[in-house]
Amino acid sequence: MSYILAIETSCDETSAAVVDDQKFVLSNVVASQVEFHRKFGGVVPEIASRKHLENINFVVGEALEKAGLTFKDIDYYAATNGPGLIGALLIGMTTAKSYAFVYDRPLVFVDHVESHIWANFLNGNEPELPAVAYVISGGHTSLYLMNENKEIEVIGSTLDDAVGEAFDKVAKILGLPYPGGPEIEKLAEKSKNPVSFPRPAIDSPDLNFSFSGLKTAVLYFYRKNPDKEIADIARGFQDAVIDVLISKARRALKEMRLKSLIIAGGVIANKALRHAFMRFAEEEGVNLSFPQFEYCTDNAAMIGARAVDAILQGKVGNYSTAAYAISRNR
Ligand code: KG4
Ligand code: ZN
């Protein structure tokens, strides 16, 4: 049995995990920085880097302690090298490089967005392959085709805002704190009379998305109807997003002639969205996989899971591996 110590610092979560070579999680520690960014209404890159630097060694230490291991027991050091905030990524990467150097172990660098998909393979879960894989996060909304060898190819992507980004922007319009996704979800549960918003790109013949028009529709509606219950606006927005996401999943599965769907990314933490996907899967006989709740939003366990297969595929890193800000395959 070999062990991987994985690090995630691409945005505002400082996380370290120990995962074994069968992708079982021995520990997964996540230190959120949300309270430091909230007053600015979004993530401030320089604050993110500084907080990662302050916390990373403690988070790594705690991950080892919870796993009941020491540095000497670790066989590989893994981190994400993008996409994300460059300064933030560098803290995690440099930490991994330093431990790998001191303990003379190999380094593995993996893609953050791909890793979200790998959250579905943790703790003995084996989604049926080939599958359509859907990443619905704060920075990305993309559809992929994943083959039996877990090689992925982009088949659709957002042309503007990612879904999580749209949630956060709509929350801001409605005067809710950052991050907006969970706030919209809570508020939407109270709605009795949801507003009907447009479903952008729902009928377009491709697999691409566009959410900035929906966000603008919410803005104009809110300006024109300041007395409307914001719960009804939140619910109307959430319903529109879910409708578009499900309809694109249906189209992708049909085009690829597949019956297996993997969903991933921070927005999947949304219960209404998960339930809508579960209903869809049941109605259409689709085999659906989604991560355990704690592995939906950013975490290092998913980085560890991705690293296990990267090692098998020979995609390891070295001391000169660089960080990148923007997805290479969107
Ligand atoms: O995957 P993630 O943790 O980070 C990125 O890689 O982007 O996703 C964060 C995004 C944020 O935009 C956040 O508002 C959204 O996921 N999110 C949610 C919920 N929880 C997190 N959106 C809707 N409902 C939620 N419950
Ligand atoms: Zn993420």
Side-chain angles (χ1 to χ4, degrees):
M1 182 71 72
S2 57
Y3 297 109
I4 294 159
L5 191 133
I7 296 175
E8 156 62 41
T9 59
S10 68
C11 191
D12 60 345
E13 245 76 63
T14 314
S15 180
V18 179
V19 172
D20 70 21
D21 55 11
Q22 301 302 305
K23 307 190 186 85
F24 281 86
V25 183
L26 280 78
S27 64
N28 180 51
V29 179
V30 183
S32 173
Q33 309 176 351
V34 157
E35 60 179 303
F36 303 104
H37 299 285
R38 188 169 276 142
K39 60 175 172 289
F40 302 101
V43 178
V44 182
E46 186 54 31
I47 294 179
S49 307
R50 284 165 195 248
K51 291 290 162 195
H52 285 312
L53 187 56
E54 274 172 38
N55 292 325
I56 190 66
N57 289 318
F58 297 108
V59 170
V60 167
E62 202 180 321
L64 280 172
E65 198 181 311
K66 285 198 167 144
L69 299 176
T70 66
F71 285 110
K72 292 204 174 85
D73 302 314
I74 299 299
D75 300 282
Y76 296 88
Y77 287 91
T80 180
N81 62 326
L85 304 168
I86 293 292
L89 288 163
L90 287 176
I91 306 297
M93 291 174 68
T94 308
T95 305
K97 286 177 182 177
S98 309
Y99 287 128
F101 179 75
V102 170
Y103 294 97
D104 194 20
R105 293 286 188 268
L107 276 163
V108 192
F109 290 107
V110 299
D111 183 275
H112 175 87
V113 183
E114 289 180 17
S115 298
H116 272 294
I117 301 173
W118 261 262
N120 282 275
F121 293 89
L122 287 168
N123 293 332
N125 291 310
E126 281 294 339
E128 185 185 291
L129 295 176
V132 168
Y134 216 161
V135 177
I136 311 171
S137 75
H140 293 83
T141 301
S142 300
L143 279 161
Y144 301 84
L145 180 63
M146 185 181 236
N147 71 16
E148 289 91 341
N149 298 324
K150 300 202 185 87
E151 288 152 348
I152 60 168
E153 175 194 337
V154 183
I155 53 173
S157 167
T158 182
L159 304 171
D160 41 59
D161 292 355
V163 172
E165 191 181 353
F167 266 94
D168 295 338
K169 287 177 178 170
V170 164
K172 210 168 186 176
I173 292 169
L174 300 178
L176 302 168
Y178 175 86
E183 300 289 330
I184 301 247
E185 173 175 15
K186 259 190 274 164
L187 204 58
E189 283 163 12
K190 297 189 188 125
S191 166
K192 295 199 176 68
N193 188 15
V195 179
S196 176
F197 285 115
R199 268 70 173 145
I202 198 164
D203 294 320
S204 67
D206 53 32
L207 295 172
N208 292 326
F209 310 84
S210 167
F211 291 102
S212 80
L214 175 59
K215 169 197 67 190
T216 312
V218 172
L219 175 67
Y220 288 153
F221 181 90
Y222 184 54
R223 278 193 191 152
K224 272 199 210 136
N225 305 276
D227 298 330
K228 181 74 183 165
E229 288 286 339
I230 57 169
D232 291 334
I233 302 178
R235 174 65 189 276
F237 163 76
Q238 187 174 280
D239 286 353
V241 169
I242 292 174
D243 256 13
V244 173
L245 291 174
I246 298 262
S247 111
K248 289 290 173 179
R250 181 182 291 112
R251 184 183 288 274
L253 288 164
K254 197 171 158 211
E255 272 185 28
M256 302 296 141
R257 297 201 173 86
L258 291 175
K259 284 281 180 192
S260 180
L261 178 66
I262 295 173
I263 57 176
V267 183
I268 295 296
N270 186 295
K271 285 187 278 307
L273 191 143
R274 273 213 308 267
H275 289 148
F277 270 101
M278 282 154 82
R279 268 196 311 277
F280 159 76
E282 210 175 294
E283 280 164 21
E284 313 220 357
V286 166
N287 197 323
L288 176 71
S289 169
F290 49 85
Q292 287 168 263
F293 184 76
E294 69 220 272
Y295 306 122
C296 288
T297 48
D298 289 348
N299 66 86
M302 69 183 195
I303 303 295
R306 177 68 190 99
V308 170
D309 286 319
I311 294 164
L312 293 175
Q313 293 164 346
K315 292 186 195 161
V316 292
N318 57 51
Y319 296 115
S320 357
T321 302
Y324 55 94
I326 296 169
S327 189
R328 292 171 297 187
N329 53 5
R330 54 185 293 158

